[in-house]
Amino acid sequence: MTLIRRLYCILCLVSGVALLAASSPAQEADSVLIDTAGVEVTPAPAPPVNVGARDTPSDEGYSITVFWELSADDRPGEDFVTGYRILRAETPEGPFREVGFSSVGATSYTDASTEKKTDYYYRVETQADGASSSSPVIGPVQSTAQWFNFNLLNLLIIEGIICLAILYFIYSAKSGKKLFLRKIAGLEAVDEAIGRATEMGRPILFIPGIQDMDDVQTIAGITILGRIAKTIAQYDCRLHVPVSRSIVMTTARETVKEAYLSAGRPDAYSDDFVNYVTDEQFGYVAAVDGIMVREKPATCFYLGAFFAESLIMAETGHSIKAIQIAGTAMPAQLPFFVAACDYTLIGEELFAASAYLSNEPRQLGSLKGQDVGKVIAMVFILLPVIVLTLGAIFGWEFATRAGEFVRDWFRLIQM
Amino acid sequence: MNNRVLAYIVVAVGIAVFAILAATQGFAVTMGAFFTIGIFSFLYKDNPYYKFSEAVFVGISAGYWFVSLFWQNMVSKLYMGIQAAYNTTFVEHAGWDDRWMMLLGGLLGLFMLLRLFPKIGWLSRWSLAVIVGATAGLYFINYFVSNGIIQLGAIIAPLQSFTEAGKLDWWGTISQALLVAGTLSGVVYFYFSKEHTGAFGGVAKIGIWTLMLTFGASFGYTVMSRMSLLIGRMDYLVGTWLGLIR
Amino acid sequence: MKRQVPLAITAVVGIVYIFQYFVPHEPVSKFSDWFSDWFAIIQAFAIWLGALNLMKLSAIKVARRKRDWIYSLVTIISFAIIVIVGLFFSGGTDFQVRGTRFMYIYDNVYDPLSSTMFAILAFFVASASYRAFRARNKEATMLLLAAFFVMLGRVPVGDMISAFMPEGLRFSNVADWVMNIPNMAGQRAIMIGIALGIMSTSLRIILGIERTFVGGD
Amino acid sequence: MNFWVRLMTIDRRIIFLFVVIAVTIPLFLNISQEIVVSTEVQTGFDAFSALQPGARVLVACDYDPPSSPELQPMAVATFRYCLDHDLKFIIIGLWPQGPQQANAAFETVLGYPISDTITYNGKTLIYGRDWVNLGFQAGNELVIQRMGSSIPAAFPRDYRGTPLEDLPLMQGVQNFNNIDFVMNISAGYPGVYEWVQFGVDRFGVRLVGGTTAVQAPLIYPYYGSGQLLGVLGGLKGAAEFEGLVGVSGKATQFMLSQSFAHVIVILFIIVGNVAYFVGGRKQKKT
């Protein structure tokens, strides 16, 4: 070690002792030891400076963030300092126990094990192999909960924009503005499919997925059932909806009943249209397969959240030569529906279906709003990518920074 | 007549075979194998053996869920929850306990049951309204965060990538470009308020191709998965039941 | 009344549950936990409706000696057996601990049945690929190609038969590429679409524009 | 009727028969084949092996017997690895059968039924100190969300009703900050999807997902975006993982049947297409 370095260490040591003298007696003791032991043993590293602690913002109130400035000995390229110990106590006198450890170069630590409305005192120790030196005790600090999570501000803004777009079009549509919507093959085919069943005098099978009402896909499926049931009521054709969840059964009955009511055929409705089989995925499929091969429905709708059973149904449906219209937001099942069914609503189309079938301006308006969302998404992909690429090609600092800013905007979503 | 006799013979032989195997291989595993084969028989065609297995399956599984929900949700959650809340508030006098909120759940549950009484059945709509409203609210954010925003953030990166040597990695760059292009065209395919014609239609076309490649990939993986399950089943029949492997 | 109140409830609850995400402060931060409890409890009540419905239909079949009534009888019996065993002879709340009678039925009847039903898929996958995966047009061909490479690339044999090719073109690497580029692009496009779809569906429900489930429009 | 046309409209039961043969025969054969480890499995394993002895691993088993052919080998390999490297593990399940599957897998590793004290390679492990099983908890993704704020709140007791405070391993485990690593083995919903949405995005857990092959393509985007440290996809992923961990389990053993099955499906597709084109043209003429 050079003389300067040695002197420097002693200096740090003394200052450390001075600081410690103000803090806990225990610490004083061991630092004195180091002192008397003199420069023969590993000298104590400089303690971190300007140590502070504050309640972590935007949280539930169970954490405190401790921050500091690097110890004078914590310099890049030197492995003298090994890291920082964060110690906590509920009184200035201690006892202090370690709550966390931060590696070299770190300047803050979030202690996520605090209780609300309790005073905490912290100190941070610089660790060097064999020796350590502590900052003065700071505090008291309390952790409290906040009413808004500012880490999510960006999310709120993005969602806000899209919502406004959707709302705008809902209401502009209400005011009678004409909206163009492209045809969706699967939905164009619905009437034809129902008509076919009527001609053949065979029932129509509707499967609203196998998830419960706490899945938005099931809700989407049920809303579509509402539209379809209305048509079925008018065609006066038999509808069968076996379900795998009791709550779905209840909801489906409400929905179908209303559909028949609004179609002016309340007399034709019966609760037996909708029946519960079992919550068990494959028990349900076994039963539905049985229903298919025995009742031989002319048309099968599979609209909702599907898992493995999708193919069992689709293949059985095909073997009985039924027209099959499927739709789900489960990407893993889409290939089978696409391959085995006559029409498939892919992902978003499932959610658009009810609005599309309703033909009600406000509903259609919401679809237009979704498109705005897509445009926003595409812009947010394309621009930053271009900017970043150019930045990387021509080494434009500002471009790179701008691009990364946008990216981080999307990445910065956590609680 | 002949068919009937034949059927009886088949049934008799079947019972005999299973009886013997039950004796040699153990009753439990044979019962499992019995139902396994019963379900498989559907592959040949719908038949009484399958119908029987199906009926058992429906009954057993419905009962299974009935029992599970009863002990886990009705008893452990609702009853014990309220009990614990009662203790904190009235026995330990420790004030409010969040588990009191379970009562609200119980109330909504009762509303559901009121459907059994047509006069007041409409109250069940209130429970449904809560469920649907909460689901809508929760999905509104959560799905968008994990599948919208973060995916967007993940795409945003400079197109060109470099090899360890620091040279431009052409293939990597092209791939990255394709990734972005594929995603964008895919989004275009879902665009509702414009006819898929002209240049726009062309992009949408690329979009559907991308989707098809995606589906192909899923399909490939699914084949793998499904085959694994069948292997597992065959292992059960041939190995665990009949003990023919090693 | 019967219609307006549910719509109002939906709207209020929906909005509350959107905003709870942004509010870390109690009790709001607890709302989603509460909902999970409520839903679990509602399920526990609702299944009585389901079970009763199942029993009713089966009983009617048996009573009227409809076709295949005997199987409905089997359903009723097996339901009764497991419910009685599960409620009264399996040690109450730890009915799922190994060794209970309930688990015996689970392991030797329920499990083989569902596993087999699941395994049946293998056959349908095969027949579907034979029947439906035909290069009818460009789209279908795309799907085929991707499936082909992934299927071969994901099993050792794929690398055996493509061992002669340069490293980058071995099936496993091609499969990786398909997974990481086109597959990921497609998945993302689908996800973004769905995310928007869900947003506007939720919005329609909360605004009461989509109201089929509480009846009528 | 011409041969190709007949081939096109072949009775699917014949196809079924082929499948059975293709899958069953290899079970009796004993051909070893080299298994190439894919990057997503490798990175997952690396994240695993970066853990120091004594680290707390949360093993979330979200599957039931039907999917166990694919997933059980992963669980077995995971526990084997934890035991070999003195990692402490906490078992939970969002599926009712998950924790039992975990116990079964654990017993496969040990080779005998679990008890409160077990010995493995001379090491003595004590329940509650070296591993715990917190059992099943209803509520799907919301359970994960609750664990983010407080694990004791989400799982007040372990699977046999012991309060958490009586389990040494759970001392000082407040939330995900006190968990070093999460291994999720899932067959669907709730599963990796939900663990990413709630565990990773909201609480920043370090997550590796083992899934059925069906799920794998769905979670690739999360791997690409760095939300997942690794992906074990289906039986192949399991076999690769077994290879890295150094066990020759069911997955490795089943790989041959797997290869055969894939080949036969591909043959079906090819034959189907040939028949379609040749036969299709003929059909138009006649």
Side-chain angles (χ1 to χ4, degrees):
Chain A
M1 242 192 306
T2 66
L3 181 67
I4 296 110
R5 173 73 193 275
R6 190 176 288 248
L7 286 171
Y8 176 75
C9 287
I10 296 170
L11 190 73
C12 298
L13 206 69
V14 176
S15 57
V17 174
L19 286 167
L20 289 169
S23 69
S24 75
Q27 279 304 316
E28 195 177 319
D30 31 334
S31 38
V32 169
L33 267 180
I34 300 169
D35 201 11
T36 47
V39 287
E40 300 318 312
V41 300
T42 1
V49 283
N50 298 338
V51 178
R54 62 168 134 66
D55 167 48
T56 315
S58 301
D59 74 342
E60 272 192 81
Y62 294 108
S63 78
I64 290 175
T65 306
V66 184
F67 50 92
W68 58 87
E69 284 171 20
L70 292 183
S71 146
D73 292 338
D74 181 353
R75 283 184 293 264
E78 287 184 28
D79 51 10
F80 175 53
V81 172
T82 53
Y84 300 89
R85 268 175 85 208
I86 292 80
L87 299 97
R88 187 183 79 193
E90 307 201 351
T91 62
E93 294 71 37
F96 280 85
R97 57 177 198 79
E98 174 167 350
V99 290
F101 189 86
S102 289
S103 56
V104 185
T107 58
S108 77
Y109 174 84
T110 304
D111 169 15
S113 56
T114 61
E115 284 304 323
K116 287 185 197 164
K117 303 199 178 42
T118 322
D119 282 335
Y120 289 106
Y121 298 84
Y122 287 89
R123 52 191 186 75
V124 182
E125 278 183 3
T126 313
Q127 298 283 309
D129 34 20
S132 74
S133 63
S134 169
S135 73
V137 173
I138 51 123
V141 205
Q142 284 201 351
S143 58
T144 57
Q146 283 71 33
W147 282 103
F148 183 78
N149 181 349
F150 281 94
N151 302 333
L152 297 175
L153 189 59
N154 51 358
L155 175 63
L156 190 61
I157 294 170
I158 297 171
E159 296 235 345
I161 295 172
I162 299 176
C163 284
L164 287 178
I166 296 174
L167 288 173
Y168 168 78
F169 280 103
I170 287 178
Y171 289 105
S172 69
K174 211 165 115 196
S175 63
K177 200 155 153 293
K178 260 261 134 278
L179 295 170
F180 171 83
L181 282 184
R182 73 170 163 91
K183 302 228 169 304
I184 298 178
L187 297 174
E188 294 297 311
V190 166
D191 286 359
E192 167 210 335
I194 297 175
R196 177 171 183 265
T198 323
E199 288 159 17
M200 300 171 79
R202 297 236 214 102
I204 291 172
L205 193 69
F206 187 101
I207 310 291
I210 64 159
Q211 286 297 70
D212 213 327
M213 283 310 290
D214 62 341
D215 186 318
V216 70
Q217 293 187 59
T218 314
I219 297 180
I222 293 291
T223 53
I224 301 171
L225 171 63
R227 314 278 175 218
I228 294 178
K230 202 167 166 184
T231 323
I232 294 177
Q234 286 152 353
Y235 278 85
D236 190 16
C237 166
R238 222 159 78 251
L239 170 67
H240 190 177
V241 187
V243 299
S244 76
R245 307 282 170 170
S246 309
I247 302 177
V248 177
M249 175 183 84
T250 312
T251 324
R253 282 180 175 174
E254 283 293 326
T255 312
V256 175
K257 197 169 173 184
E258 283 299 329
Y260 272 70
L261 203 64
S262 56
R265 299 292 318 280
D267 51 304
Y269 171 78
S270 142
D271 268 355
D272 301 344
F273 290 171
V274 185
N275 70 295
Y276 168 85
V277 179
T278 164
D279 278 60
E280 213 288 324
Q281 179 183 14
F282 292 107
Y284 176 67
V285 181
V288 171
D289 272 2
I291 294 171
M292 284 184 179
V293 292
R294 286 154 218 162
E295 289 184 9
K296 300 239 181 318
T299 307
C300 302
F301 292 96
Y302 316 106
L303 299 165
F306 288 90
F307 293 87
E309 69 285 348
S310 62
L311 181 63
I312 305 185
M313 294 181 182
E315 271 293 289
T316 315
H318 177 271
S319 72
I320 59 164
K321 311 262 181 301
I323 284 195
Q324 306 191 92
I325 299 179
T328 184
M330 294 289 190
Q333 307 310 331
L334 281 167
F336 299 103
F337 279 151
V338 167
C341 297
D342 304 83
Y343 302 97
T344 308
L345 304 175
I346 300 167
E348 188 179 5
E349 294 173 339
L350 171 70
F351 297 101
S354 160
Y356 191 95
L357 290 170
S358 75
N359 235 318
E360 182 197 337
R362 293 183 306 169
Q363 299 249 9
L364 301 178
S366 70
L367 297 186
K368 185 89 180 159
Q370 278 164 251
D371 284 351
V372 175
K374 279 167 218 145
V375 174
I376 296 174
M378 288 193 272
V379 171
F380 267 121
I381 294 171
L382 212 48
L383 281 186
V385 168
I386 294 171
V387 170
L388 275 172
T389 311
L390 293 178
I393 293 173
F394 303 107
W396 295 337
E397 251 314 300
F398 68 94
T400 315
R401 248 188 279 107
E404 277 162 357
F405 171 75
V406 178
R407 186 196 61 207
D408 299 340
W409 228 58
F410 288 118
R411 293 207 176 152
L412 197 145
I413 305 286
Q414 73 275 98
M415 208 112 178
Chain B
M1 184 55 208
N2 281 351
N3 287 349
R4 166 161 296 187
V5 175
L6 193 67
Y8 283 137
I9 294 169
V10 171
V11 172
V13 172
I15 293 173
V17 171
F18 276 109
I20 296 162
L21 285 165
T24 55
Q25 310 302 94
F27 177 72
V29 68
T30 305
M31 185 160 64
F34 171 80
F35 288 117
T36 303
I37 299 170
I39 294 290
F40 274 142
S41 73
F42 180 72
L43 291 171
Y44 179 67
K45 72 189 214 301
D46 189 29
N47 65 74
Y49 189 4
Y50 173 75
K51 286 180 183 168
F52 177 77
S53 313
E54 176 203 322
V56 172
F57 196 1
V58 170
I60 290 284
S61 56
Y64 171 86
W65 279 86
F66 185 83
V67 173
S68 308
L69 288 176
F70 179 80
W71 288 120
Q72 275 159 5
N73 300 356
M74 199 78 105
V75 175
S76 303
K77 235 183 205 343
L78 181 59
Y79 177 70
M80 291 182 174
I82 299 297
Q83 214 176 24
Y86 180 85
N87 280 335
T88 14
T89 312
F90 297 113
V91 181
E92 300 156 13
H93 301 289
W96 169 262
D97 183 317
D98 280 334
R99 281 168 289 195
W100 281 119
M101 296 305 292
M102 302 264 186
L103 278 176
L104 193 42
L107 186 68
L108 294 171
L110 280 177
F111 282 3
M112 285 303 256
L113 283 189
L114 291 183
R115 295 190 64 81
L116 296 171
F117 314 99
K119 274 216 157 355
I120 41 179
W122 54 270
L123 268 170
S124 65
R125 287 181 175 182
W126 292 19
S127 318
L128 295 182
V130 172
I131 294 171
V132 172
T135 307
L138 286 168
Y139 268 82
F140 186 85
I141 302 281
N142 287 334
Y143 194 94
F144 185 68
V145 169
S146 297
N147 304 318
I149 288 210
I150 290 188
Q151 293 306 328
L152 284 181
I155 306 173
I156 300 173
L159 292 180
Q160 66 273 54
S161 57
F162 297 94
T163 57
E164 286 78 358
K167 283 216 246 58
L168 182 63
D169 168 5
W170 281 107
W171 185 233
T173 310
I174 294 166
S175 301
Q176 183 63 24
L178 285 176
L179 182 61
V180 173
T183 312
L184 289 177
S185 53
V187 174
V188 167
Y189 166 79
F190 287 112
Y191 203 84
F192 294 122
S193 48
K194 194 171 183 335
E195 201 61 71
H196 286 174
T197 50
F200 186 80
V203 179
K205 194 95 181 135
I206 299 172
I208 190 71
W209 289 354
T210 316
L211 293 184
M212 284 302 162
L213 285 171
T214 309
F215 295 156
S218 301
F219 172 77
Y221 254 99
T222 310
V223 169
M224 177 171 158
S225 177
R226 300 316 180 214
M227 290 302 167
S228 316
L229 297 171
L230 181 57
I231 296 167
R233 246 16 242 166
M234 287 304 168
D235 186 52
Y236 175 84
L237 283 181
V238 186
T240 316
W241 183 39
L242 300 175
L244 295 180
I245 300 175
R246 322 222 190 334
Chain C
M1 171 62 182
K2 287 182 183 179
R3 183 153 309 166
Q4 292 316 319
V5 175
L7 284 176
I9 296 176
T10 314
V12 173
V13 175
I15 290 165
V16 167
Y17 273 93
I18 290 177
F19 280 100
Q20 59 89 28
Y21 194 90
F22 298 94
V23 181
H25 202 294
E26 287 161 350
V28 184
S29 58
K30 294 235 182 77
F31 283 3
S32 52
D33 296 357
W34 289 347
F35 176 65
S36 76
D37 290 337
W38 297 341
F39 192 75
I41 294 167
I42 297 174
Q43 277 179 314
F45 279 92
I47 196 155
W48 287 78
L49 297 174
L52 284 174
N53 177 244
L54 177 66
M55 290 299 106
K56 183 177 137 223
L57 291 186
S58 312
I60 290 174
K61 266 194 165 185
V62 176
R64 305 208 183 128
R65 292 285 188 280
K66 285 193 183 166
R67 194 167 114 264
D68 289 342
W69 63 273
I70 189 77
Y71 301 108
S72 303
L73 187 62
V74 173
T75 304
I76 297 176
I77 294 170
S78 39
F79 179 85
I81 290 177
I82 193 164
V83 166
I84 291 164
V85 168
L87 292 188
F88 306 110
F89 303 103
S90 300
T93 42
D94 21 3
F95 64 104
Q96 277 185 322
V97 176
R98 272 237 224 79
T100 62
R101 295 186 184 78
F102 184 80
M103 286 316 288
Y104 180 85
I105 300 179
Y106 177 87
D107 291 332
N108 300 306
V109 181
Y110 183 105
D111 170 17
L113 280 167
S114 56
S115 307
T116 314
M117 202 63 211
F118 203 176
I120 286 232
L121 272 165
F123 297 99
F124 287 131
V125 160
S127 65
S129 41
Y130 183 81
R131 174 176 68 72
F133 286 83
R134 289 181 179 160
R136 282 193 198 78
N137 48 31
K138 283 205 194 60
E139 288 74 18
T141 318
M142 291 276 179
L143 197 154
L144 264 173
L145 283 177
F148 180 81
F149 283 116
V150 169
M151 256 186 279
L152 275 180
R154 284 289 172 256
V155 281
V157 67
D159 284 319
M160 278 184 224
I161 57 177
S162 63
F164 65 91
M165 292 202 217
E167 182 59 34
L169 293 179
R170 303 253 173 86
F171 279 142
S172 55
N173 298 330
V174 177
D176 285 340
W177 187 83
V178 172
M179 293 311 298
N180 291 319
I181 304 302
N183 172 60
M184 201 174 307
Q187 296 289 359
R188 284 187 171 147
I190 295 176
M191 283 183 186
I192 292 171
I194 293 174
L196 291 165
I198 288 180
M199 276 182 79
S200 86
T201 305
S202 309
L203 215 52
R204 289 201 300 268
I205 290 171
I206 290 167
L207 295 175
I209 297 174
E210 186 69 80
R211 54 174 67 176
T212 39
F213 59 91
V214 283
D217 35 354
Chain D
M1 192 159 70
N2 122 326
F3 167 72
W4 292 108
V5 179
R6 232 180 296 127
L7 196 59
M8 251 171 87
T9 54
I10 185 175
D11 183 340
R12 59 184 195 166
R13 278 172 278 191
I14 296 171
I15 296 173
F16 294 164
L17 190 64
F18 274 106
V19 174
V20 176
I21 296 165
V23 166
T24 320
I25 303 301
L27 286 176
F28 297 95
L29 307 177
N30 201 346
I31 308 165
S32 72
Q33 30 179 10
E34 170 218 17
I35 295 166
V36 186
V37 178
S38 48
T39 46
E40 61 274 18
V41 176
Q42 187 62 52
T43 53
F45 181 76
D46 296 344
F48 218 143
S49 48
L51 296 171
Q52 300 303 321
R56 287 202 192 90
V57 178
L58 183 77
V59 184
C61 296
D62 302 334
Y63 63 99
D64 53 5
S67 341
S68 53
E70 276 180 289
L71 300 178
Q72 198 69 353
M74 296 181 191
V76 174
T78 307
F79 290 129
R80 164 66 65 86
Y81 186 87
C82 290
L83 291 172
D84 288 344
H85 297 75
D86 305 319
L87 304 174
K88 317 251 175 228
F89 53 94
I90 302 161
I91 298 164
I92 67 164
L94 302 182
W95 287 40
Q97 278 68 45
Q100 291 152 23
Q101 290 294 327
N103 273 347
F106 194 9
E107 290 179 347
T108 322
V109 177
L110 298 174
Y112 57 85
I114 324 176
S115 54
D116 279 8
T117 23
I118 56 167
T119 53
Y120 174 81
N121 295 350
K123 286 176 266 181
T124 312
L125 291 90
I126 299 168
Y127 178 84
R129 187 195 73 186
D130 301 295
W131 90 93
V132 295
N133 186 338
L134 301 186
F136 160 74
Q137 191 55 257
N140 302 336
E141 63 268 36
L142 295 156
V143 174
I144 308 173
Q145 196 167 343
R146 183 175 293 181
M147 289 174 79
S149 42
S150 160
I151 290 176
F155 290 87
R157 318 181 123 52
D158 74 353
Y159 79 120
R160 7 141 119 167
T162 324
L164 242 54
E165 46 272 31
D166 302 353
L167 300 167
L169 179 52
M170 299 311 288
Q171 297 302 326
V173 175
Q174 180 55 34
N175 51 29
F176 287 125
N177 296 14
N178 315 104
I179 300 289
D180 300 288
F181 187 79
V182 178
M183 177 77 180
N184 175 236
I185 304 175
S186 87
Y189 170 87
V192 178
Y193 232 46
E194 287 65 33
W195 275 98
V196 170
Q197 274 188 38
F198 293 85
V200 176
D201 297 347
R202 291 181 76 162
F203 306 109
V205 303
R206 295 173 50 74
L207 177 67
V208 165
T211 68
T212 59
V214 195
Q215 297 264 307
L218 306 186
I219 64 175
Y220 259 88
Y222 299 115
Y223 178 67
S225 60
Q227 286 156 283
L228 272 171
L229 301 173
V231 178
L232 316 184
L235 202 57
K236 175 80 182 329
E240 294 171 12
F241 193 61
E242 281 180 346
L244 291 171
V245 173
V247 296
S248 157
K250 283 269 184 206
T252 320
Q253 176 195 333
F254 287 166
M255 260 305 118
L256 191 62
S257 297
Q258 193 77 43
S259 299
F260 273 62
H262 285 217
V263 171
I264 197 122
V265 170
I266 289 163
L267 287 180
F268 283 146
I269 297 182
I270 294 171
V271 175
N273 278 283
V274 172
Y276 172 69
F277 284 115
V278 183
R281 221 179 290 111
K282 285 252 166 55
Q283 226 169 8
K284 283 187 203 73
K285 281 191 190 127
T286 51

PDB file of all heavy atoms in Angstrom, chain A residues 183-195:
ATOM      1  N   LYS A 183     -66.364  -7.134 -43.173  1.00  0.00           N
ATOM      2  CA  LYS A 183     -67.100  -8.362 -42.858  1.00  0.00           C
ATOM      3  C   LYS A 183     -66.201  -9.294 -42.053  1.00  0.00           C
ATOM      4  O   LYS A 183     -65.006  -9.358 -42.273  1.00  0.00           O
ATOM      5  CB  LYS A 183     -67.532  -9.052 -44.162  1.00  0.00           C
ATOM      6  CG  LYS A 183     -68.393  -8.191 -45.056  1.00  0.00           C
ATOM      7  CD  LYS A 183     -69.617  -8.956 -45.541  1.00  0.00           C
ATOM      8  CE  LYS A 183     -70.628  -8.033 -46.205  1.00  0.00           C
ATOM      9  NZ  LYS A 183     -71.034  -6.913 -45.309  1.00  0.00           N
ATOM     10  N   ILE A 184     -66.798 -10.021 -41.104  1.00  0.00           N
ATOM     11  CA  ILE A 184     -66.076 -11.077 -40.403  1.00  0.00           C
ATOM     12  C   ILE A 184     -66.752 -12.390 -40.778  1.00  0.00           C
ATOM     13  O   ILE A 184     -67.902 -12.647 -40.408  1.00  0.00           O
ATOM     14  CB  ILE A 184     -66.106 -10.863 -38.877  1.00  0.00           C
ATOM     15  CG1 ILE A 184     -65.414  -9.546 -38.515  1.00  0.00           C
ATOM     16  CG2 ILE A 184     -65.437 -12.022 -38.160  1.00  0.00           C
ATOM     17  CD1 ILE A 184     -65.423  -9.210 -37.044  1.00  0.00           C
ATOM     18  N   ALA A 185     -66.022 -13.190 -41.559  1.00  0.00           N
ATOM     19  CA  ALA A 185     -66.627 -14.384 -42.181  1.00  0.00           C
ATOM     20  C   ALA A 185     -67.434 -15.191 -41.167  1.00  0.00           C
ATOM     21  O   ALA A 185     -68.605 -15.492 -41.386  1.00  0.00           O
ATOM     22  CB  ALA A 185     -65.527 -15.241 -42.788  1.00  0.00           C
ATOM     23  N   GLY A 186     -66.803 -15.497 -40.037  1.00  0.00           N
ATOM     24  CA  GLY A 186     -67.449 -16.357 -39.048  1.00  0.00           C
ATOM     25  C   GLY A 186     -68.811 -15.845 -38.647  1.00  0.00           C
ATOM     26  O   GLY A 186     -69.750 -16.617 -38.440  1.00  0.00           O
ATOM     27  N   LEU A 187     -68.944 -14.514 -38.572  1.00  0.00           N
ATOM     28  CA  LEU A 187     -70.207 -13.948 -38.082  1.00  0.00           C
ATOM     29  C   LEU A 187     -71.232 -13.841 -39.195  1.00  0.00           C
ATOM     30  O   LEU A 187     -72.434 -13.956 -38.970  1.00  0.00           O
ATOM     31  CB  LEU A 187     -69.940 -12.579 -37.464  1.00  0.00           C
ATOM     32  CG  LEU A 187     -69.021 -12.657 -36.244  1.00  0.00           C
ATOM     33  CD1 LEU A 187     -68.657 -11.283 -35.755  1.00  0.00           C
ATOM     34  CD2 LEU A 187     -69.657 -13.476 -35.146  1.00  0.00           C
ATOM     35  N   GLU A 188     -70.723 -13.643 -40.432  1.00  0.00           N
ATOM     36  CA  GLU A 188     -71.643 -13.632 -41.567  1.00  0.00           C
ATOM     37  C   GLU A 188     -72.370 -14.974 -41.643  1.00  0.00           C
ATOM     38  O   GLU A 188     -73.513 -15.059 -42.070  1.00  0.00           O
ATOM     39  CB  GLU A 188     -70.865 -13.389 -42.868  1.00  0.00           C
ATOM     40  CG  GLU A 188     -70.230 -12.007 -42.957  1.00  0.00           C
ATOM     41  CD  GLU A 188     -71.270 -10.909 -42.953  1.00  0.00           C
ATOM     42  OE1 GLU A 188     -72.236 -11.016 -43.730  1.00  0.00           O
ATOM     43  OE2 GLU A 188     -71.131  -9.975 -42.141  1.00  0.00           O
ATOM     44  N   ALA A 189     -71.671 -16.029 -41.212  1.00  0.00           N
ATOM     45  CA  ALA A 189     -72.189 -17.389 -41.411  1.00  0.00           C
ATOM     46  C   ALA A 189     -73.225 -17.788 -40.360  1.00  0.00           C
ATOM     47  O   ALA A 189     -73.904 -18.802 -40.507  1.00  0.00           O
ATOM     48  CB  ALA A 189     -71.032 -18.382 -41.390  1.00  0.00           C
ATOM     49  N   VAL A 190     -73.357 -16.974 -39.301  1.00  0.00           N
ATOM     50  CA  VAL A 190     -74.204 -17.396 -38.178  1.00  0.00           C
ATOM     51  C   VAL A 190     -75.630 -17.697 -38.634  1.00  0.00           C
ATOM     52  O   VAL A 190     -76.158 -18.786 -38.416  1.00  0.00           O
ATOM     53  CB  VAL A 190     -74.208 -16.319 -37.069  1.00  0.00           C
ATOM     54  CG1 VAL A 190     -75.320 -16.575 -36.080  1.00  0.00           C
ATOM     55  CG2 VAL A 190     -72.872 -16.300 -36.367  1.00  0.00           C
ATOM     56  N   ASP A 191     -76.232 -16.732 -39.315  1.00  0.00           N
ATOM     57  CA  ASP A 191     -77.638 -16.931 -39.717  1.00  0.00           C
ATOM     58  C   ASP A 191     -77.789 -18.181 -40.569  1.00  0.00           C
ATOM     59  O   ASP A 191     -78.651 -19.023 -40.326  1.00  0.00           O
ATOM     60  CB  ASP A 191     -78.139 -15.701 -40.500  1.00  0.00           C
ATOM     61  CG  ASP A 191     -78.385 -14.525 -39.566  1.00  0.00           C
ATOM     62  OD1 ASP A 191     -78.166 -14.731 -38.340  1.00  0.00           O
ATOM     63  OD2 ASP A 191     -78.748 -13.438 -40.023  1.00  0.00           O
ATOM     64  N   GLU A 192     -76.890 -18.314 -41.551  1.00  0.00           N
ATOM     65  CA  GLU A 192     -76.937 -19.484 -42.441  1.00  0.00           C
ATOM     66  C   GLU A 192     -76.893 -20.770 -41.608  1.00  0.00           C
ATOM     67  O   GLU A 192     -77.692 -21.683 -41.794  1.00  0.00           O
ATOM     68  CB  GLU A 192     -75.747 -19.424 -43.404  1.00  0.00           C
ATOM     69  CG  GLU A 192     -75.489 -20.700 -44.170  1.00  0.00           C
ATOM     70  CD  GLU A 192     -74.001 -20.864 -44.489  1.00  0.00           C
ATOM     71  OE1 GLU A 192     -73.296 -19.824 -44.553  1.00  0.00           O
ATOM     72  OE2 GLU A 192     -73.550 -22.017 -44.621  1.00  0.00           O
ATOM     73  N   ALA A 193     -75.976 -20.773 -40.619  1.00  0.00           N
ATOM     74  CA  ALA A 193     -75.809 -21.976 -39.796  1.00  0.00           C
ATOM     75  C   ALA A 193     -77.088 -22.291 -39.031  1.00  0.00           C
ATOM     76  O   ALA A 193     -77.532 -23.439 -38.976  1.00  0.00           O
ATOM     77  CB  ALA A 193     -74.643 -21.778 -38.832  1.00  0.00           C
ATOM     78  N   ILE A 194     -77.713 -21.251 -38.500  1.00  0.00           N
ATOM     79  CA  ILE A 194     -78.952 -21.472 -37.741  1.00  0.00           C
ATOM     80  C   ILE A 194     -80.049 -21.948 -38.681  1.00  0.00           C
ATOM     81  O   ILE A 194     -80.770 -22.919 -38.408  1.00  0.00           O
ATOM     82  CB  ILE A 194     -79.375 -20.176 -37.015  1.00  0.00           C
ATOM     83  CG1 ILE A 194     -78.319 -19.783 -35.995  1.00  0.00           C
ATOM     84  CG2 ILE A 194     -80.730 -20.357 -36.350  1.00  0.00           C
ATOM     85  CD1 ILE A 194     -78.576 -18.460 -35.316  1.00  0.00           C
ATOM     86  N   GLY A 195     -80.103 -21.283 -39.860  1.00  0.00           N
ATOM     87  CA  GLY A 195     -81.102 -21.685 -40.847  1.00  0.00           C
ATOM     88  C   GLY A 195     -80.977 -23.161 -41.184  1.00  0.00           C
ATOM     89  O   GLY A 195     -81.966 -23.913 -41.170  1.00  0.00           O
TER      90      GLY A 195
END
